[in-house]
Amino acid sequence: MNNQTLLTRSMQSVWHPCTQMKQHETYPLIPIARGDGVWLYDADGKRYLDGVSSWWVNLFGHNNTRIKDAIKQQLDTLEHVMLAGFTHQPVVELSEKLSKLTGLGHAFYASDGASATEIALKMSFHFWRNLYSETQGQPSKTKFISLQNSYHGETLGALGVTDVAIFKDTYAPLLMQSAQMPSPDFRLAETGEIAEAYALRCAEDLEKYVAEHHETLAAFIIEPLVQCAAGMAMYPSVYLRRAREICTKYSVHLIADEIAVGFGRSGTMFACEQANVTPDFMCLSKGITGGYLPLSVVLTRNEIYQAFYHDKVTKAFLHSHSYTGNPLACSAALATLSIFETDDVLQKNRETSDFIWGEMQALNNLPIEHLRRPNLNRSGMIFAFDVITKNPNFSRGCYAAALAQGLLIRPIGNTVYLMPPYTINHEEISYALQASIHAVSKAIK
Ligand SMILES: *Cc1c(COP(=O)(O)O)cnc(C)c1O
């Protein structure tokens, strides 16, 4: 199908996500015919460097031979079988591997991030219910807390702990209530206050709240180290460590939503490792299949699993999705983990991250009045900077200007970020940064 036909037919038949469709009258959809490495190509061969890893899911490039071959092989063996009452090799191997990597004993599967959030919230709530009904009857731990500006997905339960007004406000009457704790995002620190001191101040506020409300609190859900959807809001690991201590002290679950930062994105395999923290639940998705197939998982501690292991059916976690533990998706995840094992990905990423960081310093040459200080930030393979501009349409303008340069980036408000596939090479990095500088210079005016 040629580009124009694809656009017209898409506008007539597809409802695109996170989009005011009418804006496509001025900003046309981008038709993509194929992908290869960090590049996406349209039908005429025009290419775009995928600077956001196709919404943070791609790790090792498009058209990756190893992941592709693993899926093909699985396709010839078993495409799917229901996971209730049945099991298969890919799901067992994946669960064992994830357990080894995280120290969390049991894996519950779904197909997208928001579902993983739902599962973690329900499991936490249900755990306390199971526990209390054995001892003193009435479960009181039914509430959740999250961080200001947090993002945990957009189904109703997940939206209830998300704190992004544009996604949430419309649906407020439908949502469960949750309280938001001050975000340790270092950009919110007082002038002159160092990031760690600010993070500790936020942790004090967290402790105050938890000390007062712990009897009604089931869990604290948090995006470890980087609140990506909040505009790559980064914070020091000391906050996460304190959060773990506080949750342990007051018997509140810690749910680590590593959907965006897991699988090496923040520099370590999982962001929690940087704080030396084991959460009670860990939610994973996005990079888990290298960006190939939808898959998510909630991992949890054996003690929590044991509270559901009972003669009574109602004590069980009676949650399911039709595609739970899909073998094709699991095989893509196994191939992804195998690349981590054989290719020393985390070490290579450190080198790539340092190179990008060095090249990024050129951004300091943008007109000084447009730069927010401290400006450039990174966490592993996430790179971001904030601009100051009077252009209310900066984000869209920058996106469009970058596309014209053959670069796909999607600034969040005034935060421009790059989250490229790990396989990006030096030449592609320079290309991406030059296109970014050009696009930002154009859009800030
Ligand atoms: C993307 C994301 C989600 C939601 O995942 P979906 O697959 O889009 O439903 C949840 N939490 C975080 C931190 C995310 O980045």
Side-chain angles (χ1 to χ4, degrees):
M1 223 187 290
N2 73 32
N3 286 338
Q4 200 48 51
T5 317
L6 196 60
L7 293 191
T8 313
R9 286 172 61 179
S10 195
M11 285 303 286
Q12 280 164 2
S13 61
V14 183
W15 199 335
H16 292 265
C18 200
T19 300
Q20 172 46 269
M21 292 296 290
K22 192 165 194 292
Q23 285 177 355
H24 281 316
E25 289 175 8
T26 10
Y27 295 93
L29 284 160
I30 310 297
I32 295 300
R34 64 184 188 91
D36 194 38
V38 299
W39 299 98
L40 295 164
Y41 296 84
D42 75 8
D44 298 335
K46 179 168 168 46
R47 61 179 194 169
Y48 305 91
L49 194 152
D50 189 353
V52 297
S53 295
S54 290
W55 253 354
W56 320 342
V57 301
N58 191 291
L59 302 187
F60 303 118
H62 299 274
N63 196 22
N64 181 286
T65 313
R66 284 170 69 181
I67 303 176
K68 209 167 57 173
D69 287 350
I71 297 170
K72 280 183 185 164
Q73 209 179 344
Q74 185 58 42
L75 202 50
D76 284 334
T77 318
L78 173 69
E79 82 297 339
H80 186 67
V81 62
M82 62 195 275
L83 201 64
F86 294 81
T87 193
H88 52 80
Q89 192 172 325
V91 80
V92 171
E93 278 183 17
L94 181 60
S95 306
E96 288 171 355
K97 287 214 154 100
L98 291 174
S99 169
K100 216 175 231 157
L101 285 167
T102 59
L104 298 167
H106 275 82
F108 194 103
Y109 292 90
S111 308
D112 54 61
S115 301
T117 300
E118 301 284 341
I119 288 163
L121 298 177
K122 280 178 72 180
M123 264 186 189
S124 170
F125 166 87
H126 197 163
F127 168 85
W128 295 118
R129 195 181 166 87
N130 280 351
L131 192 74
Y132 277 72
S133 56
E134 253 164 32
T135 51
Q136 64 232 68
Q138 276 309 305
S140 57
K141 289 166 93 64
T142 58
K143 293 192 157 51
F144 300 98
I145 54 174
S146 63
L147 287 179
Q148 273 166 3
N149 306 323
S150 59
Y151 183 90
H152 300 291
E154 299 184 50
T155 51
L156 293 177
L159 207 49
V161 288
T162 286
D163 185 40
V164 180
I166 193 161
F167 300 143
K168 185 169 191 176
D169 286 359
T170 309
Y171 308 101
L174 303 180
L175 305 178
M176 72 170 170
Q177 302 289 313
S178 68
Q180 275 62 55
M181 303 295 112
S183 167
D185 175 359
F186 81 98
R187 296 172 301 184
L188 304 174
E190 304 278 324
T191 327
E193 188 177 32
I194 64 163
E196 278 77 11
Y198 174 65
L200 286 170
R201 196 149 63 78
C202 290
E204 274 173 37
D205 289 341
L206 171 70
E207 178 150 22
K208 244 179 255 161
Y209 187 91
V210 174
E212 195 177 330
H213 298 276
H214 66 96
E215 283 177 2
T216 59
L217 285 181
F220 176 31
I221 181 165
I222 184 169
E223 296 155 272
L225 300 190
V226 191
Q227 295 181 274
C228 295
M232 303 303 148
M234 299 178 193
Y235 62 86
S237 59
V238 65
Y239 181 84
L240 200 54
R241 199 150 51 239
R242 287 291 297 126
R244 173 70 279 183
E245 287 163 6
I246 293 163
C247 285
T248 304
K249 180 171 168 191
Y250 293 99
S251 288
V252 171
H253 288 145
L254 182 68
I255 303 173
D257 175 354
E258 295 232 11
I259 290 166
V261 293
F263 298 99
R265 197 43 91 172
S266 76
T268 42
M269 193 60 173
F270 301 108
C272 280
E273 294 167 26
Q274 292 178 49
N276 208 2
V277 152
T278 305
D280 299 293
F281 300 90
M282 188 185 281
C283 302
L284 300 170
S285 188
K286 294 203 164 114
I288 190 169
T289 60
Y292 265 72
L293 288 166
L295 181 70
S296 66
V297 57
V298 177
L299 294 148
T300 190
R301 292 192 296 114
N302 282 330
E303 293 91 315
I304 291 174
Y305 171 80
Q306 285 304 331
F308 292 79
Y309 199 85
H310 203 273
D311 292 329
K312 276 202 199 121
V313 173
T314 51
K315 286 213 167 197
F317 192 61
L318 301 179
H319 182 106
S320 67
H321 297 283
S322 311
Y323 282 97
T324 296
N326 176 256
L328 294 170
C330 289
S331 72
L334 284 168
T336 300
L337 288 178
S338 142
I339 295 174
F340 273 100
E341 280 164 24
T342 57
D343 290 14
D344 207 3
V345 171
L346 296 176
Q347 176 53 32
K348 272 195 206 147
N349 279 0
R350 277 192 278 279
E351 290 159 22
T352 309
S353 178
D354 286 345
F355 182 80
I356 295 179
W357 186 241
E359 296 285 296
M360 259 183 95
Q361 305 308 313
L363 288 160
N364 286 316
N365 298 333
L366 285 166
I368 189 84
E369 68 271 23
H370 291 298
L371 291 182
R372 191 182 176 279
R373 305 260 164 202
N375 190 41
L376 307 176
N377 316 306
R378 72 163 157 166
S379 173
M381 286 294 285
I382 305 172
F383 308 86
F385 60 98
D386 293 350
V387 299
I388 298 168
T389 170
K390 293 202 176 73
N391 178 3
N393 295 319
F394 169 78
S395 166
R396 217 176 318 132
C398 185
Y399 167 73
L403 279 176
Q405 298 283 309
L407 171 69
L408 164 52
I409 50 172
R410 279 173 65 103
I412 300 171
N414 288 3
T415 304
V416 182
Y417 73 90
L418 277 173
M419 213 198 261
Y422 301 163
T423 46
I424 192 169
N425 67 30
H426 286 192
E427 202 183 323
E428 292 158 346
I429 289 164
S430 304
Y431 179 96
L433 285 167
Q434 260 159 40
S436 303
I437 290 174
H438 188 91
V440 172
S441 311
K442 221 170 151 179
I444 46 178
K445 291 191 191 121

